[in-house]
Amino acid sequence: MLKTCDINIRDPFVLNDNGKFYMYGTRARDFGCGVQGFDVYVSDDLENWSEPIVCFDSVKNGCNRCVNWAPEVHKYNGSYYMLATFTKENDLRGTYALKADSPLGPFEMHSNGALTPYEWEALDGTLYVEDGTPYLVFCHEHTQIIDGTVCYIELSEDLTEAFGEPVTLFNGSSPYWADKKPQGEHYITDGPFMYRTANGTLLMIWSTFIKGKYAECVVRFTHGSIKGELEHLAPIIDDDGGHGMIFNVEDRIYLTFHTPNQTNYERPKFIELVDNGSTIEKK
């Protein structure tokens, strides 16, 4: 049995399913490069966890070229779908969909290649469903475009492919609180996750760096749709924690993220949030 402080992962993602918590994440050694897949940890209380259970073998599935990043698992149409980022055949990163019949896996490749554009360096895709239509929300990496962006693209109902052109929501430099950098310096965007509040307000959390520290940030869509206008709110965390997601435990909501953002020292952390309808705050 492991305690939370024993688990060295980046990008933690928790699925609350049938009374158990399943936690996935990037194997933190070597910054998730060439680590051969993903594990799942199982808990009843968010404090005591099983030993890691291999839930995806990226060598067997032919996608261990370099990065094995940011697995997240959604229950969708009766099956379990993992979205994760791998290095494509063209040496650029992209997000793929995997599928299993159980949250324990084994997950197998499901999408017809990357769901993100083939010529883009992209990562951290998350599933969002609006009015019955699935979308992939993801980041176009600063490594390719300098000022990273958060985008979305429509998916097929079975999550095997993307349709149409991606839509850019915002750039890393666009928040009112963003660092003002000299031209040519990079703005990072990663880890988007969608959350709808109790009164229907649509939010997104995402991560970047503020004054050199990893941060968890919040966007609010002013008309309740990913296709509407948005505004940047104050960050939730600005002291070296990020790439988070939000999950429910009965009538409570929790944010999990990794901290510190230092290879081999990352640990998942859980904090309770308050949903006040128009936004979320630390309790």
Side-chain angles (χ1 to χ4, degrees), residues 23-278:
M23 182 167 64
Y24 310 84
T26 301
R27 292 172 177 169
R29 69 180 186 274
D30 299 322
F31 202 67
C33 295
V35 293
Q36 303 180 357
F38 304 117
D39 305 306
V40 59
Y41 301 82
V42 185
S43 174
D44 295 319
D45 57 11
L46 297 176
E47 295 178 3
N48 301 287
W49 298 89
S50 70
E51 294 291 330
I53 301 165
V54 176
C55 62
F56 178 69
D57 184 333
S58 65
V59 175
K60 175 183 173 183
N61 283 270
C63 50
N64 192 47
R65 297 177 194 89
C66 187
V67 306
N68 293 236
W69 283 356
E72 56 176 70
V73 174
H74 300 261
K75 194 171 186 178
Y76 171 79
N77 286 351
S79 295
Y80 297 89
Y81 291 87
M82 176 182 284
L83 295 168
T85 298
F86 303 102
T87 305
K88 304 190 292 282
E89 299 88 345
N90 60 357
D91 293 327
L92 299 174
R93 293 185 277 269
T95 294
Y96 295 70
L98 294 66
K99 184 179 181 181
D101 295 326
S102 163
L104 296 175
F107 287 86
E108 302 290 342
M109 196 58 69
H110 176 70
S111 59
N112 299 323
L115 296 170
T116 49
Y118 186 72
E119 296 300 330
W120 285 22
E121 186 94 281
L123 80 169
D124 295 351
T126 188
L127 180 64
Y128 169 63
V129 180
E130 183 173 298
D131 297 330
T133 299
Y135 298 90
L136 185 77
V137 183
F138 66 96
C139 297
H140 192 178
E141 276 216 78
H142 70 102
T143 51
Q144 188 176 52
I145 59 173
I146 299 178
D147 191 357
T149 62
V150 178
C151 309
Y152 73 87
I153 193 167
E154 184 177 341
L155 300 179
S156 60
E157 184 178 4
D158 63 0
L159 310 187
T160 57
E161 57 186 333
F163 290 127
E165 296 298 319
V167 177
T168 296
L169 292 169
F170 60 88
N171 291 75
S173 64
S174 61
Y176 68 90
W177 43 254
D179 297 339
K180 303 308 176 187
K181 300 181 180 182
Q183 186 174 1
E185 288 200 18
H186 291 221
Y187 287 88
I188 292 172
T189 54
D190 71 30
F193 180 82
M194 307 298 292
Y195 175 77
R196 196 172 290 278
T197 70
N199 73 357
T201 299
L202 182 62
L203 305 176
M204 176 201 296
I205 60 172
W206 64 287
S207 289
T208 189
F209 286 82
I210 303 174
K211 294 181 172 60
K213 292 187 176 181
Y214 207 31
E216 192 71 68
C217 312
V218 186
V219 165
R220 178 167 58 210
F221 294 86
T222 53
H223 294 97
S225 169
I226 198 171
K227 299 178 182 179
E229 297 178 354
L230 59 85
E231 58 184 333
H232 293 277
L233 306 181
I236 299 177
I237 297 162
D238 60 5
D239 58 353
D240 198 28
H243 198 121
M245 59 82 62
I246 298 168
F247 64 98
N248 290 79
V249 182
E250 297 177 348
D251 60 346
R252 296 180 175 182
I253 60 170
Y254 287 85
L255 170 70
T256 183
F257 57 97
H258 76 251
T259 186
N261 190 43
Q262 182 180 355
T263 302
N264 297 327
Y265 294 92
E266 308 95 330
R267 298 292 185 271
K269 186 171 182 178
F270 303 97
I271 62 172
E272 190 172 350
L273 299 177
V274 175
D275 179 340
N276 65 21
S278 63

